[in-house]
Amino acid sequence: MFETLSDRLQNAFARLRSKGKLTEDDVKEAMREIRRALLEADVHHAVAKEFTERIREKAVGQEILQSLSAGQQVVKIVHEELITLMGSDQAKIARAPKPPTVVMMVGLQGAGKTTAAAKLARHLQKKEFRRPMLVAADIYRPAAIDQLKILGQQIEVPVYAPGADIAPQKIVEQAMKEAINGSYDYLIIDTAGRLHIDDTLMDELMQMKSICSPHEILLVIDAMTGQDAITVAEHFHSKLEVTGIIMTKLDGDTRGGAALTVRHVTGCPVKFVGTGEKTDALEPFYPDRMASRILGMGDVLSLIEKAQETIDEKQAKELEAKFLKNEFTLEDFLSQLQQVRKMGPLEQVLGMLPGMGKLKQLQQANVDESQINKVEAIILSMSKAERQKPELVTKSSSRRVRIAKGSGTQVKDVNQLLRQFEDMRKMMKHLTGLTKGGKKGIAGLNALGGLGPKGGMPFGQKGKRRR
Amino acid sequence: MLGIFDKLKAGLTKTRQAFTERVATILRRRKIDEDVYEELEETLLAADVGFETTQFLLDHMQKEARRNKLETADQLVPVLQSAINVILGEDPEPLQFVKDGLTVILFVGVNGVGKTTTIGKMASKWRHEGKKVVIAAGDTFRAAAIEQLVVWGERAGVEVIRQSTGSDAAAVIFDAISAAKARGADLLLCDTAGRLQNKVHLMAELEKVYRVIDREIPGAPHEVFLVLDATTGQNAIVQAKMFHEIARVTGIVLTKLDGTAKGGVVIGVKKALDIPVKWIGFGEGIEDLEPFSSTMFAKALFEGFQTMEKED
């Protein structure tokens, strides 16, 4: 439903090819597209306005030599500016000189505070080797305390939960003593979800704050939040002086423009993002990835990293060599398929690819896991020679019949696979041309090549990058 | 009964009283110019109406303004409101009961939108209207989701059919249908786990739940309510689309309208997918649920416009 900003700008600049130079008017049109992209991503309209103004100033001064890359150039400026605005580094969670470090989780109902609290506790325990304790201070929502207790059990982190009959202020006070007695070094307080305009409950939070003097107050925000993120953030921040943000539900397909809004309003960094319902689905925040996402350019860097985690480097190099020599066989295809599947549910992997939102048919065709099982079965029913030389199968109908029988598919499925594989090989040719600095290739990929700090394709990446 | 919009207005009264008169005069005196259009655009955008729908509404408004030779700003808002009302259409029957036998409602939506709370409120509402209501605890995934629903069942005085966490959601719903039939219930409210619409396996699970209901009672579920958080931005359109594909959504429950979000994205949802809003939720109290009124909704969208004028 959303065209990517990159596509739109390419279109907007496409007719400039003959002119070769950008006028004020052209930039104006680009700014319209940028504003539109930001609004579609749910960035607050006032923030979007201010942002495009900044971009306009930067873009007009820029000399654009080749109109072909004008769109890309503007996207690049936008992208970089977004990264700057969202903070160029990852913020760490505070650590008090004298334990316990007290962390308060606050936010609206349904933002995901309880889950985020448990994830944070697990993160501190498993990744930073701390001794956290969770505090169940949401006495209002039915079974919220039970939920935290169950999560605590799952991650083996103690939960201080004196019950729903005790005032949250009292719970916090007691939890502080408990933490000192039990020599816990982190105290993570789960508070009840509340409306930012609910004065009574906001006062309650302020009282809790003054009792436990937290080192971190983390505002938990649903990544799908729309324009209201600005009001929510303003209210929570003005009452409590928030120190950081946790964005939840980023495993959805939302563009997450609220991240920019919230950052803009509070000046606080996004410290973590929630990417799933399991307790280990908490990740650091990467401003560059978020920028790509807001612009609808896909989470290419996450994909690259994921690919690096799962794909054997030596194999990747061999594969790269094969790409270049155009010796890619069905066997390679099979092993690649299996590796991609190791990266996680396919739809999640595909969701990270730019332009997937637009290619609906492609997305649906690919996401169908049973289709992939079929492909796997077909290739596995081939002999080694056939996998190396698909032409053997193409030429012989008896081979095709045998393979179809062996894999429990139809001959037409076998034919289809062979055709698709041939198409893919052709595409590989294009791609390898691209990495050698060719200018043709696929427009979207071309743009991306210029955008990432290093760019390039996932499987061609060398070395593990960490930031 | 004090409606949500009355409540909203009550809340806004303090801010508004001081300005209302001034605003009215300003609007009346104000000639239509670029600034007025821009402010209206911002009002719509701020309400999450979304870029495309906002442009559509503004284009329409400008045409109307030219055609009817409108001159002052106060004439524009009614034009917009009626355009919104046209998109939203006539308010539908908020809940269609089957003539006799069991009416089944399936509640779907992403995580944290208020499905369980809405079911609690709805159970209470229909029980008070004299219906026999049963709830199915179909969220077998989230920790303590069942416990939460059971508390709501107690509050509403309604039986909750459940199994343990981790069991098959379709099996729970199957059981609940048998139980509801056996007890001669009028209404079965089926909770489901929150799921993000891009999770293929979870959507497949939902499809299975839907199939099971349809198999047990042909034609059921009679209503599928997509619960939508009013705070949600443009992603709501994708949500509606995906859930509609899987589970033929018949109406939206727009929740959390007691906050400052206006939920304007439902206009885009109706325009793109023709799914109407049927209910609104506006608090954690058991009575904070009401049928939707498009007129009131369109009015509430522009509350912000008027308060904004005060800064002039």
Side-chain angles (χ1 to χ4, degrees), chain B:
Chain B
M1 201 201 298
L2 192 65
I4 161 68
F5 297 102
D6 299 322
K7 272 197 185 176
L8 277 181
K9 274 186 205 142
L12 284 167
T13 308
K14 256 186 286 165
T15 7
R16 274 179 60 223
Q17 260 167 1
F19 302 110
T20 309
E21 275 184 29
R22 236 189 93 204
V23 166
T25 16
I26 289 172
L27 276 179
R28 230 173 290 131
R29 254 194 324 210
R30 222 172 134 180
K31 286 258 178 296
I32 296 173
D33 56 13
E34 273 303 306
D35 284 351
V36 173
Y37 283 134
E38 199 171 304
E39 277 169 38
L40 283 169
E41 182 186 21
E42 281 172 5
T43 305
L44 289 169
L45 289 174
D48 286 313
V49 172
F51 182 84
E52 248 173 69
T53 311
T54 296
Q55 291 312 309
F56 173 85
L57 289 169
L58 289 178
D59 288 348
H60 170 85
M61 185 188 68
Q62 284 174 324
K63 266 186 218 141
E64 286 292 299
R66 273 197 301 273
R67 197 167 54 175
N68 299 318
K69 303 199 168 55
L70 303 182
E71 282 174 354
T72 52
D74 61 323
Q75 295 171 304
L76 290 177
V77 174
V79 174
L80 277 176
Q81 280 169 340
S82 80
I84 290 167
N85 281 327
V86 169
I87 295 177
L88 291 176
E90 267 181 47
D91 294 333
E93 193 65 35
L95 178 55
Q96 215 104 43
F97 278 94
V98 289
K99 285 216 177 65
D100 41 28
L102 181 65
T103 302
V104 182
I105 310 182
L106 183 65
F107 289 81
V108 301
V110 300
N111 316 63
V113 287
K115 284 178 294 301
T116 305
T117 308
T118 301
I119 288 174
K121 293 175 186 174
M122 208 166 273
S124 162
K125 180 183 171 63
W126 292 109
R127 198 184 83 91
H128 281 104
E129 307 254 329
K131 303 280 182 191
K132 182 158 178 57
V133 186
V134 172
I135 295 174
D139 181 355
T140 53
F141 180 81
R142 183 169 62 83
I146 298 171
E147 288 83 347
Q148 187 182 348
L149 193 61
V150 167
V151 173
W152 276 107
E154 278 162 16
R155 286 180 187 171
V158 163
E159 189 185 359
V160 179
I161 308 294
R162 60 184 143 145
Q163 289 177 15
S164 54
T165 304
S167 50
D168 180 30
V172 177
I173 307 269
F174 177 88
D175 277 1
I177 292 174
S178 320
K181 278 181 180 166
R183 289 163 182 62
D186 304 301
L187 186 61
L188 174 65
L189 306 174
C190 305
D191 194 12
T192 61
R195 66 201 77 218
L196 294 173
Q197 69 276 7
N198 60 337
K199 308 258 162 173
V200 174
H201 57 295
L202 293 179
M203 293 305 268
E205 182 201 83
L206 183 63
E207 197 174 13
K208 183 176 161 198
V209 168
Y210 189 94
R211 265 204 321 270
V212 166
I213 299 175
D214 189 36
R215 196 182 61 209
E216 289 310 300
I217 302 175
H222 306 95
E223 297 265 16
V224 178
F225 287 154
L226 172 71
V227 183
L228 202 66
D229 183 334
T231 323
T232 309
Q234 299 310 301
N235 192 249
I237 296 177
V238 191
Q239 284 175 29
K241 186 172 175 294
M242 303 295 267
F243 277 102
H244 193 48
E245 274 172 20
I246 295 284
R248 201 183 50 90
V249 175
T250 61
I252 287 168
V253 181
L254 190 60
T255 60
K256 308 188 193 177
L257 271 174
D258 48 333
T260 43
K262 305 251 164 117
V265 71
V266 296
I267 301 170
V269 171
K270 178 71 169 58
K271 195 160 159 283
L273 303 162
D274 200 30
I275 301 172
V277 184
K278 291 194 173 173
W279 296 88
I280 52 167
F282 45 90
E284 288 176 332
I286 202 155
E287 288 184 344
D288 297 334
L289 179 80
E290 266 186 21
F292 175 75
S293 152
S294 59
T295 324
M296 295 310 252
F297 178 78
K299 231 177 223 166
L301 282 187
F302 292 93
E303 296 282 356
F305 181 68
Q306 303 200 338
T307 39
M308 206 167 63
E309 291 292 309
K310 74 187 185 260
E311 289 152 16
D312 279 28

Side-chain angles (χ1 to χ4, degrees), chain A residues 85-312:
Chain A
L85 279 185
M86 278 186 295
S88 38
D89 54 323
Q90 280 168 45
K92 285 224 148 55
I93 203 96
R95 186 176 300 166
K98 188 170 164 279
T101 309
V102 181
V103 182
M104 247 170 99
M105 315 288 283
V106 301
L108 298 180
Q109 291 96 338
K113 284 174 298 303
T114 308
T115 310
K119 286 176 178 178
L120 182 61
R122 186 192 173 276
H123 169 89
L124 288 167
Q125 186 193 46
K126 292 259 153 51
K127 302 264 167 84
E128 301 193 15
F129 311 106
R130 301 280 135 196
R131 291 192 71 214
M133 181 168 80
L134 285 158
V135 182
D138 177 359
I139 60 165
Y140 303 104
R141 180 164 61 88
I145 296 175
D146 291 337
Q147 187 185 350
L148 194 67
K149 278 187 188 163
I150 294 169
L151 291 172
Q153 254 166 28
Q154 282 173 13
I155 57 173
E156 296 171 340
V157 167
V159 178
Y160 181 72
D165 309 324
I166 302 166
Q169 294 92 326
K170 192 84 190 159
I171 293 178
V172 167
E173 198 186 321
Q174 290 169 354
M176 290 293 284
K177 286 184 198 139
E178 200 74 17
I180 294 164
N181 289 340
S183 53
Y184 292 103
D185 47 19
Y186 271 93
L187 200 59
I188 301 167
I189 305 166
D190 179 31
T191 67
R194 63 202 73 213
L195 283 173
H196 48 292
I197 48 170
D198 186 331
D199 289 337
T200 323
L201 286 180
M202 290 303 279
D203 284 348
E204 181 192 274
L205 276 184
M206 286 159 76
Q207 286 160 17
M208 287 162 81
K209 181 187 171 182
S210 71
I211 292 167
C212 65
S213 343
H215 307 87
E216 288 268 20
I217 299 182
L218 299 176
L219 177 62
V220 182
I221 285 249
D222 185 329
M224 292 175 273
T225 310
Q227 300 280 312
D228 205 41
I230 201 162
T231 328
V232 174
E234 266 168 10
H235 276 78
F236 272 97
H237 193 51
S238 74
K239 293 261 157 111
L240 296 165
E241 286 171 65
V242 170
T243 60
I245 315 286
I246 294 187
M247 281 242 123
T248 60
K249 306 179 205 174
L250 260 176
D251 49 329
D253 50 16
T254 183
R255 301 260 290 276
L260 185 64
T261 308
V262 172
R263 166 83 208 208
H264 182 90
V265 171
T266 62
C268 293
V270 178
K271 297 206 166 178
F272 288 100
V273 296
T275 55
E277 295 191 48
K278 304 241 170 70
T279 45
D280 60 353
L282 186 76
E283 291 173 15
F285 175 74
Y286 297 98
D288 49 350
R289 296 179 192 178
M290 197 66 217
S292 307
R293 184 173 179 144
I294 289 175
L295 296 176
M297 300 196 301
D299 199 352
V300 189
L301 291 171
S302 289
L303 187 64
I304 291 172
E305 208 155 89
K306 238 181 186 169
Q308 282 172 338
E309 275 171 22
T310 26
I311 287 170
D312 181 331

